[in-house]
Amino acid sequence: MTDPADEIHVLLVEDDPGDVLMTQEAFEHHKLRNQLHVVSDGVEALAFLRREGEFADAPRPGLVLLDLNLPRKDGREVLEEVKNDPTLRSIPIVVLTTSQAEEDILRSYDLYANAYVAKPVDFERFIEVIRQIDDFFVSVVKLPQ
């Protein structure tokens, strides 16, 4: 039996409804005990993380899964703002995107992303990647409280 204290909140920042659905299905399929929260653009992501407006009661995520190509404020801008904010910078951010461009990979790490993962197009592989990310960041890595 898992301790509810081991549960973490995961914030998925993703504007593609299909990718949101696949991520939700991956969490359900693998019976991941973590709470998945979803926002669809960079402005909402920062409001959630800063607990502003409609997100005033939002939990502090233990992990952020961040797409790069987002409306209103893209993932690179979100990553930069989070990692420059002393109250948020310790939250691990995994860039989870379709881009395999070397410049995006380098820029993400330059902005202190904790990992960069290219989204697989195959459904089964996508689900496995989500499970592995969850496994690593929740079971293997010690996260700040």
Side-chain angles (χ1 to χ4, degrees):
M1 178 119 175
T2 58
D3 182 349
D6 290 341
E7 178 180 278
I8 68 163
H9 294 271
V10 177
L11 177 62
L12 173 64
V13 187
E14 175 60 68
D15 65 320
D16 182 313
D19 288 349
V20 169
L21 186 60
M22 282 199 299
T23 305
Q24 290 168 328
E25 287 183 16
F27 270 67
E28 291 168 19
H29 179 75
H30 290 293
K31 306 203 178 348
L32 302 179
R33 64 184 178 276
N34 302 314
Q35 292 282 332
L36 183 66
H37 306 271
V38 181
V39 295
S40 60
D41 66 50
V43 172
E44 284 184 354
L46 289 167
F48 187 101
L49 291 166
R50 293 176 177 147
R51 298 178 177 148
E52 298 170 342
E54 68 179 288
F55 301 108
D57 295 326
R60 179 181 173 96
L63 177 64
V64 176
L65 302 177
L66 178 67
D67 187 22
L68 289 182
N69 303 309
L70 298 166
R72 300 207 297 165
K73 187 180 288 262
D74 81 9
R76 296 159 198 84
E77 294 171 288
V78 172
L79 184 56
E80 186 168 22
E81 283 191 46
V82 169
K83 294 303 182 178
N84 283 320
D85 184 328
T87 62
L88 301 176
R89 72 168 54 123
S90 65
I91 299 171
I93 296 181
V94 173
V95 173
L96 183 62
T97 188
T98 54
S99 172
Q100 295 188 37
E102 190 66 21
E103 66 191 64
D104 283 336
I105 297 167
L106 287 171
R107 176 113 191 269
S108 294
Y109 283 117
D110 282 346
L111 294 172
Y112 304 105
N114 296 84
Y116 190 101
V117 178
K119 290 180 197 168
V121 288
D122 173 74
F123 177 72
E124 290 301 319
R125 183 74 186 114
F126 185 93
I127 284 184
E128 182 60 20
V129 164
I130 295 296
R131 187 198 61 75
Q132 288 174 339
I133 291 169
D134 182 81
D135 223 26
F136 181 73
F137 278 96
V138 178
S139 302
V140 178
V141 174
K142 185 72 178 146
L143 296 174
Q145 295 300 314

